[in-house]
Short mmCIF file of all heavy atoms in Angstrom, two decimals:
data_model
loop_
_atom_site.label_atom_id
_atom_site.label_comp_id
_atom_site.label_asym_id
_atom_site.label_seq_id
_atom_site.Cartn_x
_atom_site.Cartn_y
_atom_site.Cartn_z
N LYS T 8 -21.93 -12.96 52.43
CA LYS T 8 -22.83 -11.86 52.76
C LYS T 8 -24.27 -12.36 52.84
O LYS T 8 -24.72 -13.11 51.98
CB LYS T 8 -22.73 -10.74 51.72
CG LYS T 8 -23.54 -9.50 52.12
CD LYS T 8 -23.22 -8.32 51.24
CE LYS T 8 -23.91 -7.07 51.79
NZ LYS T 8 -23.59 -5.86 51.02
N ILE T 9 -24.97 -11.92 53.89
CA ILE T 9 -26.38 -12.29 54.04
C ILE T 9 -27.21 -11.52 53.02
O ILE T 9 -27.12 -10.30 52.91
CB ILE T 9 -26.88 -11.96 55.46
CG1 ILE T 9 -26.09 -12.74 56.51
CG2 ILE T 9 -28.38 -12.23 55.58
CD1 ILE T 9 -26.26 -14.22 56.46
N ARG T 10 -28.01 -12.27 52.25
CA ARG T 10 -28.91 -11.65 51.28
C ARG T 10 -30.28 -12.34 51.40
O ARG T 10 -30.38 -13.56 51.25
CB ARG T 10 -28.37 -11.78 49.85
CG ARG T 10 -27.19 -10.84 49.58
CD ARG T 10 -26.57 -11.09 48.22
NE ARG T 10 -27.49 -10.87 47.11
CZ ARG T 10 -27.74 -9.68 46.55
NH1 ARG T 10 -27.14 -8.58 47.03
NH2 ARG T 10 -28.57 -9.56 45.52
N THR T 11 -31.30 -11.57 51.70
CA THR T 11 -32.66 -12.09 51.80
C THR T 11 -33.53 -11.41 50.75
O THR T 11 -33.12 -10.42 50.14
CB THR T 11 -33.27 -11.84 53.20
OG1 THR T 11 -33.43 -10.43 53.39
CG2 THR T 11 -32.38 -12.42 54.29
N ARG T 12 -34.73 -11.93 50.59
CA ARG T 12 -35.61 -11.34 49.58
C ARG T 12 -37.07 -11.46 50.00
O ARG T 12 -37.45 -12.31 50.80
CB ARG T 12 -35.39 -12.00 48.23
CG ARG T 12 -35.41 -13.53 48.20
CD ARG T 12 -36.78 -14.14 48.26
NE ARG T 12 -36.79 -15.56 47.91
CZ ARG T 12 -37.86 -16.33 48.03
NH1 ARG T 12 -38.97 -15.86 48.52
NH2 ARG T 12 -37.80 -17.62 47.68
N TYR T 13 -37.87 -10.59 49.44
CA TYR T 13 -39.33 -10.71 49.47
C TYR T 13 -39.75 -10.72 48.02
O TYR T 13 -39.37 -9.82 47.25
CB TYR T 13 -39.96 -9.55 50.23
CG TYR T 13 -41.47 -9.51 50.12
CD1 TYR T 13 -42.25 -10.58 50.50
CD2 TYR T 13 -42.11 -8.36 49.64
CE1 TYR T 13 -43.63 -10.55 50.40
CE2 TYR T 13 -43.49 -8.31 49.53
CZ TYR T 13 -44.25 -9.40 49.92
OH TYR T 13 -45.62 -9.36 49.81
N ALA T 14 -40.52 -11.74 47.62
CA ALA T 14 -40.80 -11.94 46.19
C ALA T 14 -42.30 -12.11 45.95
O ALA T 14 -42.78 -13.22 45.72
CB ALA T 14 -40.03 -13.15 45.67
N PRO T 15 -43.06 -11.03 46.00
CA PRO T 15 -44.51 -11.14 45.79
C PRO T 15 -44.87 -11.22 44.31
O PRO T 15 -44.07 -10.85 43.44
CB PRO T 15 -45.03 -9.83 46.38
CG PRO T 15 -43.93 -8.85 46.09
CD PRO T 15 -42.65 -9.64 46.27
N SER T 16 -46.06 -11.70 44.05
CA SER T 16 -46.60 -11.63 42.70
C SER T 16 -47.51 -10.40 42.64
O SER T 16 -48.16 -10.07 43.64
CB SER T 16 -47.40 -12.89 42.36
OG SER T 16 -48.52 -13.00 43.22
N PRO T 17 -47.59 -9.73 41.51
CA PRO T 17 -48.45 -8.53 41.40
C PRO T 17 -49.90 -8.91 41.10
O PRO T 17 -50.58 -8.24 40.33
CB PRO T 17 -47.80 -7.76 40.24
CG PRO T 17 -47.24 -8.83 39.37
CD PRO T 17 -46.80 -9.94 40.28
N THR T 18 -50.35 -10.00 41.72
CA THR T 18 -51.73 -10.44 41.53
C THR T 18 -52.64 -9.84 42.59
O THR T 18 -53.84 -10.14 42.62
CB THR T 18 -51.82 -11.98 41.60
OG1 THR T 18 -51.26 -12.42 42.85
CG2 THR T 18 -51.03 -12.61 40.46
N GLY T 19 -52.08 -9.04 43.47
CA GLY T 19 -52.86 -8.39 44.53
C GLY T 19 -52.01 -7.36 45.24
O GLY T 19 -50.83 -7.19 44.95
N PHE T 20 -52.64 -6.66 46.18
CA PHE T 20 -51.93 -5.62 46.93
C PHE T 20 -51.19 -6.24 48.12
O PHE T 20 -51.31 -7.43 48.38
CB PHE T 20 -52.93 -4.55 47.38
CG PHE T 20 -53.66 -3.92 46.22
CD1 PHE T 20 -55.04 -3.92 46.16
CD2 PHE T 20 -52.95 -3.34 45.18
CE1 PHE T 20 -55.71 -3.35 45.10
CE2 PHE T 20 -53.62 -2.76 44.11
CZ PHE T 20 -55.01 -2.77 44.07
N LEU T 21 -50.43 -5.42 48.83
CA LEU T 21 -49.59 -5.92 49.93
C LEU T 21 -50.47 -6.38 51.09
O LEU T 21 -51.08 -5.57 51.78
CB LEU T 21 -48.60 -4.85 50.38
CG LEU T 21 -47.64 -5.25 51.50
CD1 LEU T 21 -46.80 -6.45 51.11
CD2 LEU T 21 -46.74 -4.08 51.88
N HIS T 22 -50.51 -7.67 51.30
CA HIS T 22 -51.32 -8.29 52.35
C HIS T 22 -50.54 -8.27 53.66
O HIS T 22 -49.31 -8.20 53.68
CB HIS T 22 -51.66 -9.73 51.94
CG HIS T 22 -52.63 -10.40 52.84
ND1 HIS T 22 -52.25 -11.35 53.77
CD2 HIS T 22 -53.97 -10.27 52.97
CE1 HIS T 22 -53.31 -11.77 54.43
NE2 HIS T 22 -54.37 -11.14 53.96
N ILE T 23 -51.26 -8.37 54.77
CA ILE T 23 -50.62 -8.37 56.09
C ILE T 23 -49.59 -9.48 56.20
O ILE T 23 -48.47 -9.27 56.68
CB ILE T 23 -51.68 -8.51 57.20
CG1 ILE T 23 -52.57 -7.26 57.26
CG2 ILE T 23 -51.02 -8.76 58.55
CD1 ILE T 23 -53.83 -7.46 58.07
N GLY T 24 -49.95 -10.67 55.73
CA GLY T 24 -49.01 -11.80 55.80
C GLY T 24 -47.77 -11.55 54.99
O GLY T 24 -46.65 -11.85 55.42
N GLY T 25 -47.94 -11.00 53.79
CA GLY T 25 -46.79 -10.68 52.94
C GLY T 25 -45.92 -9.62 53.56
O GLY T 25 -44.68 -9.68 53.49
N ALA T 26 -46.56 -8.62 54.18
CA ALA T 26 -45.81 -7.54 54.82
C ALA T 26 -44.95 -8.08 55.96
O ALA T 26 -43.80 -7.68 56.14
CB ALA T 26 -46.77 -6.47 55.34
N ARG T 27 -45.51 -9.01 56.75
CA ARG T 27 -44.72 -9.60 57.84
C ARG T 27 -43.55 -10.41 57.30
O ARG T 27 -42.43 -10.36 57.84
CB ARG T 27 -45.59 -10.47 58.74
CG ARG T 27 -44.82 -10.98 59.96
CD ARG T 27 -45.56 -12.03 60.72
NE ARG T 27 -45.74 -13.26 59.95
CZ ARG T 27 -46.11 -14.42 60.50
NH1 ARG T 27 -46.35 -14.50 61.81
NH2 ARG T 27 -46.27 -15.50 59.75
N THR T 28 -43.79 -11.17 56.22
CA THR T 28 -42.70 -11.93 55.60
C THR T 28 -41.59 -10.99 55.14
O THR T 28 -40.40 -11.25 55.38
CB THR T 28 -43.24 -12.72 54.39
OG1 THR T 28 -44.19 -13.68 54.85
CG2 THR T 28 -42.11 -13.45 53.66
N ALA T 29 -41.98 -9.90 54.48
CA ALA T 29 -40.99 -8.92 54.03
C ALA T 29 -40.23 -8.34 55.22
O ALA T 29 -39.00 -8.20 55.18
CB ALA T 29 -41.69 -7.80 53.25
N LEU T 30 -40.96 -8.02 56.28
CA LEU T 30 -40.34 -7.41 57.46
C LEU T 30 -39.31 -8.33 58.10
O LEU T 30 -38.19 -7.91 58.42
CB LEU T 30 -41.41 -7.05 58.49
CG LEU T 30 -40.91 -6.48 59.81
CD1 LEU T 30 -40.10 -5.20 59.59
CD2 LEU T 30 -42.08 -6.21 60.76
N PHE T 31 -39.64 -9.61 58.28
CA PHE T 31 -38.70 -10.53 58.93
C PHE T 31 -37.45 -10.74 58.07
O PHE T 31 -36.34 -10.84 58.59
CB PHE T 31 -39.37 -11.86 59.25
CG PHE T 31 -40.31 -11.79 60.43
CD1 PHE T 31 -41.26 -12.78 60.64
CD2 PHE T 31 -40.24 -10.75 61.34
CE1 PHE T 31 -42.12 -12.74 61.73
CE2 PHE T 31 -41.10 -10.68 62.43
CZ PHE T 31 -42.04 -11.68 62.62
N ASN T 32 -37.63 -10.82 56.75
CA ASN T 32 -36.46 -10.93 55.86
C ASN T 32 -35.61 -9.66 55.93
O ASN T 32 -34.38 -9.73 55.94
CB ASN T 32 -36.92 -11.18 54.42
CG ASN T 32 -37.27 -12.63 54.17
OD1 ASN T 32 -36.40 -13.48 54.04
ND2 ASN T 32 -38.56 -12.92 54.11
N TYR T 33 -36.28 -8.53 56.00
CA TYR T 33 -35.58 -7.23 56.09
C TYR T 33 -34.80 -7.14 57.40
O TYR T 33 -33.62 -6.77 57.41
CB TYR T 33 -36.61 -6.11 55.98
CG TYR T 33 -36.08 -4.72 56.24
CD1 TYR T 33 -35.37 -4.03 55.25
CD2 TYR T 33 -36.29 -4.09 57.46
CE1 TYR T 33 -34.89 -2.74 55.49
CE2 TYR T 33 -35.82 -2.82 57.71
CZ TYR T 33 -35.12 -2.14 56.72
OH TYR T 33 -34.65 -0.87 56.97
N LEU T 34 -35.47 -7.45 58.52
CA LEU T 34 -34.82 -7.35 59.83
C LEU T 34 -33.62 -8.29 59.93
O LEU T 34 -32.57 -7.91 60.47
CB LEU T 34 -35.84 -7.66 60.94
CG LEU T 34 -36.96 -6.64 61.15
CD1 LEU T 34 -37.97 -7.16 62.16
CD2 LEU T 34 -36.41 -5.29 61.59
N PHE T 35 -33.79 -9.51 59.43
CA PHE T 35 -32.69 -10.47 59.48
C PHE T 35 -31.49 -9.97 58.69
O PHE T 35 -30.34 -10.02 59.15
CB PHE T 35 -33.15 -11.83 58.94
CG PHE T 35 -32.09 -12.89 58.96
CD1 PHE T 35 -31.80 -13.59 60.11
CD2 PHE T 35 -31.37 -13.18 57.81
CE1 PHE T 35 -30.81 -14.56 60.13
CE2 PHE T 35 -30.38 -14.16 57.81
CZ PHE T 35 -30.10 -14.85 58.98
N ALA T 36 -31.75 -9.49 57.47
CA ALA T 36 -30.65 -9.00 56.63
C ALA T 36 -29.95 -7.82 57.27
O ALA T 36 -28.71 -7.77 57.35
CB ALA T 36 -31.18 -8.62 55.25
N LYS T 37 -30.73 -6.86 57.75
CA LYS T 37 -30.13 -5.64 58.31
C LYS T 37 -29.41 -5.92 59.63
O LYS T 37 -28.42 -5.27 59.96
CB LYS T 37 -31.21 -4.57 58.48
CG LYS T 37 -31.78 -4.07 57.15
CD LYS T 37 -30.68 -3.53 56.28
CE LYS T 37 -30.95 -3.63 54.82
NZ LYS T 37 -29.80 -3.27 53.98
N HIS T 38 -29.93 -6.88 60.40
CA HIS T 38 -29.26 -7.26 61.65
C HIS T 38 -27.85 -7.77 61.38
O HIS T 38 -26.93 -7.57 62.17
CB HIS T 38 -30.08 -8.33 62.37
CG HIS T 38 -29.48 -8.79 63.66
ND1 HIS T 38 -29.63 -8.10 64.85
CD2 HIS T 38 -28.71 -9.88 63.96
CE1 HIS T 38 -28.99 -8.74 65.81
NE2 HIS T 38 -28.42 -9.83 65.30
N HIS T 39 -27.67 -8.42 60.22
CA HIS T 39 -26.38 -8.99 59.84
C HIS T 39 -25.65 -8.13 58.80
O HIS T 39 -24.75 -8.64 58.12
CB HIS T 39 -26.57 -10.41 59.32
CG HIS T 39 -27.07 -11.38 60.34
ND1 HIS T 39 -26.25 -11.94 61.30
CD2 HIS T 39 -28.31 -11.87 60.59
CE1 HIS T 39 -26.96 -12.74 62.08
NE2 HIS T 39 -28.21 -12.73 61.67
N ASN T 40 -26.07 -6.86 58.70
CA ASN T 40 -25.44 -5.94 57.73
C ASN T 40 -25.51 -6.48 56.30
O ASN T 40 -24.57 -6.32 55.51
CB ASN T 40 -23.98 -5.65 58.12
CG ASN T 40 -23.87 -4.94 59.46
OD1 ASN T 40 -24.57 -3.97 59.71
ND2 ASN T 40 -23.01 -5.45 60.32
#
Side-chain angles (χ1 to χ4, degrees):
K8 186 168 188 177
I9 299 295
R10 286 174 61 84
T11 66
R12 50 77 166 173
Y13 171 57
S16 63
T18 56
F20 302 123
L21 182 59
H22 188 257
I23 292 166
R27 185 191 66 166
T28 296
L30 176 59
F31 285 162
N32 280 285
Y33 172 79
L34 291 174
F35 180 81
K37 294 303 152 188
H38 180 82
H39 294 282
N40 297 312

